[in-house]
Amino acid sequence: MISKIVGIRPTGRLHLGHLFAVINPAVDDRNVDVLIAELHAVGSTSADVDMVIRTLRFYGVLESQIRIQSEIFNHRLFYLLCDKASLGQLERMTQYKSSSNPTLQLLLYPIKMAVDIAGYNQVIVGDDQKQHVEFARDLLQGRYDPLPEAITSGGRIHSLKSDSKMSKSDPQGCIGVGCCVCVTT
């Protein structure tokens, strides 16, 4: 059986891009796990994680498909992979190079992603994440079988305000998705 994973950071209300890139693949294929990657989202709270879980379930993602990163994160593998990755490799990663605030958290992101996808056959990602999957494959070589393969999900959903992709950091450019059980009073 081919196991697949797709990830989402719990950093605000989900939008149309999440529906097509995360939710639909998991509903269409029950072999897709959805990782709620709160360790990649500094400042996210348990309420943020709960909101994502409720939204996923509202759209038909099964509880058995949902993985909470902090509950399954393999710290030992993380430290082993940190020893295998060089600082130069990490500094060349697109997200680190293009950041206006390059932090240690951002520098270590590709190693955390490698831990997240270890043991899966396929990783559903956007084009911007393919570099990280290839890096993860190199790090995991000889430690895990199978090595995860990047599968790109659909096209890019553009912001309503610009040609950039739809992003939670620009709420005016998003079409939000949610569910009635996510509304708080």
Side-chain angles (χ1 to χ4, degrees):
M1 175 188 354
I2 295 178
S3 59
K4 304 170 191 172
I5 190 167
V6 64
I8 186 167
R9 291 181 303 139
T11 56
R13 189 165 178 220
L14 304 186
H15 56 68
L16 202 58
H18 296 113
L19 181 64
F20 291 116
V22 177
I23 296 170
N24 285 352
V27 171
D28 294 343
D29 183 349
R30 295 305 182 183
N31 292 319
V32 175
D33 288 341
V34 178
L35 177 72
I36 301 176
E38 81 275 26
L39 299 178
H40 293 292
V42 178
S44 67
T45 66
S46 59
D48 297 325
V49 172
D50 290 342
M51 184 273 302
V52 171
I53 291 171
R54 287 192 306 268
T55 303
L56 292 172
R57 292 186 69 207
F58 176 81
Y59 281 97
V61 176
L62 302 176
E63 188 73 32
S64 62
Q65 292 176 272
I66 299 172
R67 305 285 181 265
I68 309 297
Q69 184 182 31
S70 62
E71 294 176 5
I72 61 171
F73 193 76
N74 184 335
H75 294 86
R76 182 170 170 22
L77 179 59
F78 175 75
Y79 286 110
L80 289 170
L81 296 180
C82 279
D83 197 42
K84 193 172 179 182
S86 76
L87 185 57
Q89 289 173 306
L90 294 169
E91 288 176 334
R92 285 189 296 275
M93 291 289 158
T94 304
Q95 287 183 321
Y96 184 79
K97 282 190 330 188
S98 64
S99 174
S100 60
N101 182 29
T103 64
L104 184 58
Q105 179 86 311
L106 195 57
L107 184 72
L108 296 175
Y109 170 83
I111 299 173
K112 286 191 292 187
M113 183 179 182
V115 173
D116 295 336
I117 65 177
Y120 284 92
N121 299 90
Q122 298 177 340
V123 185
I124 302 168
V125 294
D127 283 336
D128 59 330
Q129 294 294 312
K130 286 174 76 173
Q131 177 190 37
H132 293 120
V133 175
E134 290 306 314
F135 181 71
R137 288 173 56 87
D138 291 343
L139 284 180
L140 294 168
Q141 183 76 42
R143 293 195 183 279
Y144 268 89
D145 191 40
L147 291 176
E149 175 187 345
I151 304 297
T152 53
S153 62
R156 183 172 286 209
I157 305 293
H158 289 282
S159 167
L160 298 175
K161 290 175 45 178
S162 69
D163 261 354
S164 62
K165 74 176 187 175
M166 197 171 280
S167 170
K168 291 181 272 189
S169 61
D170 182 16
Q172 271 67 44
C174 286
I175 298 173
V177 297
C179 60
C180 57
V181 295
C182 296
V183 176
T184 58
T185 56

